[in-house]
Amino acid sequence: MHRLPFTDNYTLRPNEVDVEHLLRLSSLADMFQNSAWRSADVLGFGFHDLTSQGLAWVLSRMQITLDSYPDWGETVQLDTWPKRTDRLFALRDFELYSQSDKSEPVVRASSAWLLIDLKTRRPRRLESLESAMPSLDRDAIEATPVKLSCPDSMPLHNVVQVRRSNLDMNYHTNNAAYIAWIEDCIPMEMYQHRRIHELTVNFVGESFIGDQLTIEYQLDQNHMNGRICNQKKQDVVLFSAGLSTRT
């Protein structure tokens, strides 16, 4: 039996930080995704294990709390572990530690994953895996990530086209791309004085190469709501986000 939590170490590279030399949210999402996949592989529930059965893990929801941001060149330790199930969701948590102080995590996150049938694109029940799936009774964030409710109408920020560089191994838009597009909604003048402290995201639908996506957001002093929709089907929300900031 492999020990939990699973641990990775990352040294922040120039392309993973922003103009203030601090970790980008999209880079953090990449770290989470990479370590989740590596952990699942080690535990026997990874990409190749599931695709051979016509199944795949799909990230549905995530909640992140950032107490501080690692700096360029800093080495960080990322711990991750599967913890329990909640209806159709398999829950996985993350804790990110600074190399200089491992007494408390600087970032905590909880994520909810669906087991998808690759032919029908529908969620499968977890009973077939649950009894054999290792877990750790430990919470980075206790609550299951919530389903977001965005305002009916929000200002249009941008229209983007899904390109080949946005795709993942399943030929649909990578999770980190959605977070990067929402991250770009934050005005530079706000970005230089305030930092995202809490972020909740919902991955609701899929997009593919060539799709035109609309990015909308609504911002006040401390909070922002955003969503990404298919331009041809504006009632089809693909991604939604809610965040709060602090100085």
Side-chain angles (χ1 to χ4, degrees):
M1 177 64 68
H2 295 279
R3 292 178 57 188
L4 293 173
F6 179 86
T7 296
D8 267 326
N9 291 295
Y10 296 92
T11 299
L12 301 192
R13 299 171 296 182
N15 62 304
E16 295 172 326
V17 300
D18 60 20
V19 294
E20 303 294 329
H21 300 184
L22 300 177
L23 177 65
R24 296 179 188 271
L25 286 177
S26 53
S27 301
L28 178 64
D30 274 332
M31 290 179 184
F32 285 163
Q33 185 168 258
N34 290 338
S35 290
W37 286 119
R38 280 169 43 79
S39 170
D41 278 337
V42 168
L43 296 174
F45 299 93
F47 178 81
H48 296 292
D49 301 297
L50 294 186
T51 53
S52 64
Q53 304 174 56
L55 303 171
W57 290 118
V58 173
L59 180 58
S60 179
R61 302 176 187 174
M62 178 173 281
Q63 180 179 344
I64 307 171
T65 298
L66 303 103
D67 292 320
S68 66
Y69 283 70
D71 206 338
W72 170 38
E74 185 176 349
T75 298
V76 293
Q77 175 182 309
L78 179 58
D79 291 352
T80 183
W81 61 96
K83 59 178 186 179
R84 58 180 173 270
T85 60
D86 183 352
R87 296 167 295 168
L88 290 175
F89 293 127
L91 304 182
R92 171 178 285 276
D93 278 12
F94 303 86
E95 289 179 342
L96 188 73
Y97 293 86
S98 170
Q99 186 181 43
S100 59
D101 182 4
K102 295 183 180 178
S103 60
E104 292 290 337
V106 295
V107 178
R108 295 173 288 115
S110 187
S111 58
W113 300 72
L114 294 171
L115 185 65
I116 297 294
D117 186 305
L118 291 174
K119 288 185 178 179
T120 65
R121 311 304 294 178
R122 302 293 299 172
R124 289 273 293 269
R125 293 189 176 275
L126 296 169
E127 284 86 347
S128 59
L129 295 180
E130 191 172 1
S131 60
M133 192 159 47
S135 62
L136 184 64
D137 185 18
R138 168 177 159 186
D139 292 314
I141 296 175
E142 184 175 355
T144 298
V146 299
K147 181 179 180 180
L148 294 172
S149 178
C150 290
D152 292 335
S153 177
M154 291 188 287
L156 177 66
H157 171 71
N158 197 9
V159 178
V160 297
Q161 183 177 36
V162 178
R163 302 189 182 279
R164 183 165 54 86
S165 59
N166 302 130
L167 302 181
D168 63 15
M169 294 188 297
N170 294 316
Y171 287 85
H172 56 60
T173 305
N174 187 283
N175 301 326
Y178 291 105
I179 292 177
W181 288 326
I182 287 294
E183 197 172 11
D184 284 341
C185 292
I186 302 172
M188 180 61 77
E189 58 272 18
M190 177 180 175
Y191 197 77
Q192 292 175 328
H193 299 287
R194 305 188 66 84
R195 284 279 156 179
I196 295 172
H197 174 52
E198 293 184 338
L199 171 68
T200 300
V201 294
N202 289 179
F203 299 92
V204 184
E206 297 177 303
S207 60
F208 305 91
I209 192 166
D211 285 352
Q212 297 279 347
L213 310 181
T214 59
I215 303 172
E216 305 170 352
Y217 79 98
Q218 182 172 295
L219 177 69
D220 63 24
Q221 184 176 1
N222 301 316
H223 302 278
M224 188 180 92
N225 291 310
R227 66 173 166 232
I228 298 176
C229 301
N230 188 309
Q231 188 178 37
K232 292 183 178 179
K233 303 174 182 177
Q234 276 299 294
D235 58 333
V236 178
V237 177
L238 304 176
F239 172 85
S240 58
L243 62 87
S244 62
T245 65
R246 69 178 186 182
T247 55

